[in-house]
Amino acid sequence: MTNVHELQFLKDQIQQLKDDGVYRKLPVLNGPDDTIIELNGKKVINLSSNNYLGLANHPRLKDAAKAAIDKYGVGAGAVRTIIGNMEIHEELEKLLAEFKREEAAFIYQSGFNCNAGTIQAITGKGDLIISDELNHASIIDGTRLSKADRAIFKHSDMDSLEAVLKEKRADAKNVLIITDGVFSMDGDIAKLPEIVELAEKYEAMTYVDDAHGSGVLGESGRGTVDHFNLHGRVDFSIGTLSKAIGVVGGYVAGSNTMYEWLNHRARPVLFSTTMMPAAAAACMESIRMLMESTELTDKLWDNAKYFKQELGKLGFNTGHSETPITPVIIGEEAKSMEFSRKLLDNGVFTSAIVFPTVPRGTGRVRCMVTAAHTKDQLDEAVAAFKKTGEEMGLI
Ligand SMILES: *Cc1c(COP(=O)(O)O)cnc(C)c1O
């Protein structure tokens, strides 16, 4: 008899990862997230972070965080509903509401928590949640926490969405349609105008998770809703503060009624301590910078277009991205991981993304160009892709 505490059942599965060539160790960063990073002691070009605007290590954000530490300390001390609700948290919410052009915004400790907390708070027994099949894991988990029924529609397929609405709308109390604003693995944008039209036709609510649209799409990074000019027609607009905004946290923007309700029923806010006041201060500085000018978002798009064009010229398959997310699709899982390892030897860090994060056989390295990359760095990265692609016979 094996002893269950030896966790043999996990050891077997770990061995399987090794046999499949997808076992990995976590990379260790020896300093801030920047365009050049020191990774396991070696300097390389970073094409893998979600730090789209280069704000994660920006002096203005760092100064704001330091000042907030002096004023508020490091910890919020309690959950928000007890005594962890500091004025700086409410100031951040007001600024986010203004930035997003919505009545209100409600913050969470992370984007993941925002989905885990919001979806279950706004849906219940007898309701129906309809979700795009490629929605983010935190939406899937958030949906599982709800007592509502669930249905899936084919990725960005409006006929499939309408078929679900036709079949199931009449039997449900409220219906909530959930989509990513920007799909993180392929970089395509949700068909939000069509989704909103269907939602209006069938009297459903809409919920957009704009983690990869925040700070990227729309005027100065106001997001997908702004990009399509759908203000007032999307009920729940989720953003993260951990990606382009450069810090950590998440929020949902919408109506005052939504805000009042989440204040009473959002479980990650009721049962987990509020975000660090310094994080709130840094987020506010970041949003202020975006409201001052479009310089950062303009630079991000210029860099992304340039990089995609150069990789395309070399003959790489960069998929059908419409955003700065640039997948380079290799195919086989183990080969994708090998490509990523070899690129690192050639001075560029891009993480390999394989099954189960993306479908089997569509393994890739995902490149995240930022506003902070210089033209020289991008040219160097393209040269490394060329060298690695030739070494492996891919181009
Ligand atoms: C990254 C991401 C999240 C999680 O955001 P965090 O702030 O990192 O927790 C949620 N939804 C989507 C679509 C994401 O891409």
Side-chain angles (χ1 to χ4, degrees):
M1 274 290 275
T2 56
N3 179 347
V4 70
H5 304 294
E6 283 174 13
L7 306 181
Q8 190 58 44
F9 65 105
L10 294 183
K11 287 177 185 162
D12 291 346
Q13 294 179 79
I14 291 166
Q15 186 55 47
Q16 188 64 52
L17 296 177
K18 289 179 178 167
D19 293 347
D20 292 346
V22 293
Y23 181 85
R24 51 144 179 70
K25 289 218 161 59
L26 297 180
V28 179
L29 194 53
N30 308 123
D33 182 274
D34 227 317
T35 54
I36 304 285
I37 49 171
E38 201 179 314
L39 194 64
N40 305 325
K42 183 185 164 195
K43 282 203 161 71
V44 294
I45 297 174
N46 176 17
L47 275 180
S48 253
S49 82
N50 298 316
N51 180 17
Y52 285 107
L53 301 174
L55 292 173
N57 189 36
H58 195 282
R60 276 182 65 175
L61 273 69
K62 292 200 281 190
D63 287 346
K66 286 175 199 163
I69 288 174
D70 287 340
K71 186 166 176 194
Y72 295 98
V74 287
V79 302
R80 208 158 168 199
T81 45
I82 309 277
I83 192 62
N85 180 42
M86 294 169 158
E87 59 186 347
I88 197 161
H89 297 121
E90 295 206 350
E91 284 167 16
L92 171 60
E93 290 182 331
K94 291 203 174 80
L95 188 65
L96 282 169
E98 186 190 339
F99 178 64
K100 297 292 283 188
R101 302 182 166 128
E102 298 284 352
E103 276 179 18
F106 186 78
I107 56 166
Y108 288 85
Q109 304 88 339
S110 72
F112 194 106
N113 273 4
C114 181
N115 283 325
T118 307
I119 298 170
Q120 66 163 332
I122 58 173
T123 56
K125 211 167 171 1
D127 293 337
L128 173 67
I129 298 170
I130 311 179
S131 189
D132 186 290
E133 66 179 342
L134 292 191
N135 277 344
H136 190 257
S138 58
I139 295 177
I140 297 171
D141 290 5
T143 303
R144 284 187 183 142
L145 291 170
S146 164
K147 293 199 170 68
D149 292 327
R150 299 168 232 154
I152 303 287
F153 65 98
K154 288 208 193 95
H155 175 53
S156 279
D157 182 333
M158 294 304 107
D159 292 338
S160 170
L161 173 58
E162 185 156 24
V164 175
L165 284 162
K166 259 192 189 135
E167 188 195 333
K168 305 195 174 207
R169 175 66 190 98
D171 296 332
K173 251 186 330 204
N174 290 323
V175 173
L176 182 67
I177 303 173
I178 306 186
T179 183
D180 277 15
V182 173
F183 290 86
S184 56
M185 294 304 142
D186 290 294
D188 53 323
I189 304 174
K191 292 182 177 155
L192 209 52
E194 287 95 325
I195 292 175
V196 165
E197 265 180 37
L198 283 173
E200 288 169 354
K201 183 171 165 195
Y202 289 88
E203 290 187 40
M205 299 181 288
T206 41
Y207 182 111
V208 179
D209 178 352
D210 224 1
H212 283 279
S214 319
V216 176
L217 281 172
E219 186 197 347
S220 240
R222 281 172 172 78
T224 314
V225 174
D226 190 80
H227 171 76
F228 288 116
N229 196 18
L230 291 169
H231 292 289
R233 294 173 71 191
V234 171
D235 301 282
F236 304 96
S237 187
I238 280 68
T240 179
L241 301 166
S242 330
K243 289 178 175 144
I245 304 306
V247 193
V248 71
Y251 62 90
V252 47
S255 67
N256 286 326
T257 307
M258 169 206 82
Y259 186 92
E260 268 183 282
W261 179 245
L262 292 178
N263 241 315
H264 290 85
R265 283 294 181 274
R267 292 171 71 84
V269 170
L270 268 60
F271 300 109
S272 182
T273 300
T274 326
M275 71 159 69
M276 280 180 76
C283 289
M284 281 171 61
E285 196 58 26
S286 179
I287 302 291
R288 279 190 211 108
M289 286 174 72
L290 289 178
M291 289 169 83
E292 278 165 21
S293 106
T294 61
E295 189 188 326
L296 286 173
T297 42
D298 291 346
K299 181 82 191 303
L300 168 65
W301 282 90
D302 282 350
N303 278 350
K305 277 177 194 148
Y306 177 73
F307 186 68
K308 247 184 237 176
Q309 171 199 306
E310 295 304 304
L311 285 185
K313 274 190 210 160
L314 290 177
F316 283 106
N317 174 7
T318 59
H320 50 272
S321 172
E322 303 167 85
T323 61
I325 296 170
T326 307
V328 177
I329 297 162
I330 308 295
E332 208 182 289
E333 283 65 40
K335 207 171 213 185
S336 307
M337 297 191 66
E338 187 192 348
F339 187 75
S340 163
R341 274 193 301 271
K342 291 209 158 129
L343 258 182
L344 186 58
D345 292 340
N346 291 329
V348 175
F349 181 72
T350 59
S351 59
I353 298 185
V354 298
F355 180 83
T357 308
V358 293
R360 241 184 243 285
T362 69
R364 64 199 61 193
V365 296
R366 187 180 58 163
C367 307
M368 308 294 278
V369 177
T370 75
H373 284 98
T374 64
K375 200 71 166 283
D376 283 349
Q377 288 168 351
L378 295 179
D379 286 338
E380 231 178 280
V382 169
F385 266 84
K386 181 167 188 290
K387 183 160 182 266
T388 311
E390 283 168 356
E391 278 170 13
M392 286 182 62
L394 296 169
I395 52 169

